[in-house]
Amino acid sequence: MFIVSPSVLAADFAKLGDELKKIEKAGAEYAHLDVMDGIFVPNISFGAPMISSIRKASSLIFDVHLMITEPQRYVDDFIKAGADILTIHYESCENPLEVVRYIKSKECKVGLSIKPATPAEAIYDMLPELDMLLVMTVEPGFGGQKMMPDMLEKVRKIRKYANEKGIKIDIEVDGGLTADNVGLATAAGANVIVAGSAVYNAKSPKEVIKKMKEAALSNPFVD
Ligand code: DX5
Ligand code: ZN
């Protein structure tokens, strides 16, 4: 299934409840929530208390992307705050598999994210345990960057590998996605698209999401 997950990082924080309503009406299925600690990435965003208060304002699926070191320290807090899918970074702790299993044991969907320098092969063994793999298409830390086209090769490799092994998994791409390049991402095998500035800065988010869905339909993954 093709899913659009607008990143709230590009929204107006003074009226987050309305911003979430706006993307829901515009046809988004998820809300992508970027948590940054100023250590794993050189930027600070927001934490569990903020998520817990916007939880009351939205019925979108909360797709929480943790860009924090040693995420195991805060997993319980984010689940309690209302995360539906909790994604940690492969590079953020000693034993990501242990954290993945812990999240699953809490009956929360689990994702694993890889930075641009992390090769596909590093996470092959973990794929069967994941609900979602997030391939970063920019260096994590900031919205509004340009998508790195090389990363789509990595997506293709992982989708091919998953299909060969019969592993059903969502592959999310994050960073620099627009209505103009979404087709390249879906053709490479991605099916969950994060889009911050492309959706929130648009005059008509509805139009952008519609275009993204059309692009996905006309650019399926072909082996
Ligand atoms: C970057 C974040 C992204 C970011 C995407 O570290 O993980 O989710 O907000 O923003 P755009 O779509 O503007 O590149
Ligand atoms: Zn993100």
Side-chain angles (χ1 to χ4, degrees), residues 16-17 20 47-58 62 80-82:
L16 272 182
L20 288 168
M50 200 283 271
I51 294 176
S52 157
S53 64
I54 60 171
R55 182 68 284 181
K56 301 173 202 114
S58 176
F62 277 7
K80 221 168 127 202

Side-chain angles (χ1 to χ4, degrees), residues 7 9 32 34 36 65 67 136 140-144 174-176 194-197:
S7 168
L9 204 58
H32 186 80
D34 287 306
M36 305 179 179
H65 178 193
M67 286 164 274
M136 288 305 304
F142 300 92
D174 183 5
V194 176
S197 37

Side-chain angles (χ1 to χ4, degrees), residues 5-10 32-36 41 43 65 67 89 113 134 136-147 173-178 194-199 201:
S5 187
S7 168
V8 154
L9 204 58
H32 186 80
L33 304 174
D34 287 306
V35 178
M36 305 179 179
V41 288
N43 197 6
H65 178 193
M67 286 164 274
H89 263 269
S113 180
L134 196 183
M136 288 305 304
T137 44
V138 296
E139 282 302 336
F142 300 92
Q145 306 181 67
K146 254 191 126 86
M147 194 262 286
V173 280
D174 183 5
L177 275 306
T178 66
V194 176
S197 37
V199 168
N201 297 348

Side-chain angles (χ1 to χ4, degrees), residues 171-185:
I171 301 183
E172 181 173 56
V173 280
D174 183 5
L177 275 306
T178 66
D180 293 332
N181 62 21
V182 156
L184 297 173

Side-chain angles (χ1 to χ4, degrees), residues 21-115:
K21 294 246 156 56
K22 181 166 90 183
I23 59 161
E24 190 168 358
K25 269 204 195 129
E29 290 86 2
Y30 290 2
H32 186 80
L33 304 174
D34 287 306
V35 178
M36 305 179 179
D37 66 354
I39 298 171
F40 184 72
V41 288
N43 197 6
I44 296 176
S45 57
F46 48 77
M50 200 283 271
I51 294 176
S52 157
S53 64
I54 60 171
R55 182 68 284 181
K56 301 173 202 114
S58 176
S59 48
L60 286 166
I61 290 176
F62 277 7
D63 167 27
V64 178
H65 178 193
L66 294 184
M67 286 164 274
I68 64 176
T69 42
E70 307 298 341
Q72 64 278 9
R73 296 173 298 157
Y74 295 105
V75 158
D76 288 319
D77 289 353
F78 285 101
I79 294 175
K80 221 168 127 202
D84 295 297
I85 306 168
L86 192 55
T87 296
I88 62 153
H89 263 269
Y90 172 76
E91 308 85 359
S92 66
C93 54
E94 190 85 32
N95 195 341
L97 185 55
E98 210 169 88
V99 188
V100 161
R101 287 182 176 155
Y102 180 77
I103 296 171
K104 269 193 116 168
S105 77
K106 296 286 161 184
E107 275 156 40
C108 182
K109 288 207 166 162
V110 65
L112 183 72
S113 180
I114 49 175
K115 298 209 297 186

Side-chain angles (χ1 to χ4, degrees), residues 149-167:
D150 289 1
M151 293 304 120
L152 298 183
E153 259 324 293
K154 186 152 82 176
V155 170
R156 172 171 292 283
K157 236 170 131 173
I158 296 167
R159 179 59 80 198
K160 253 188 94 146
Y161 177 88
N163 283 356
E164 274 163 25
K165 302 281 174 194
I167 301 166

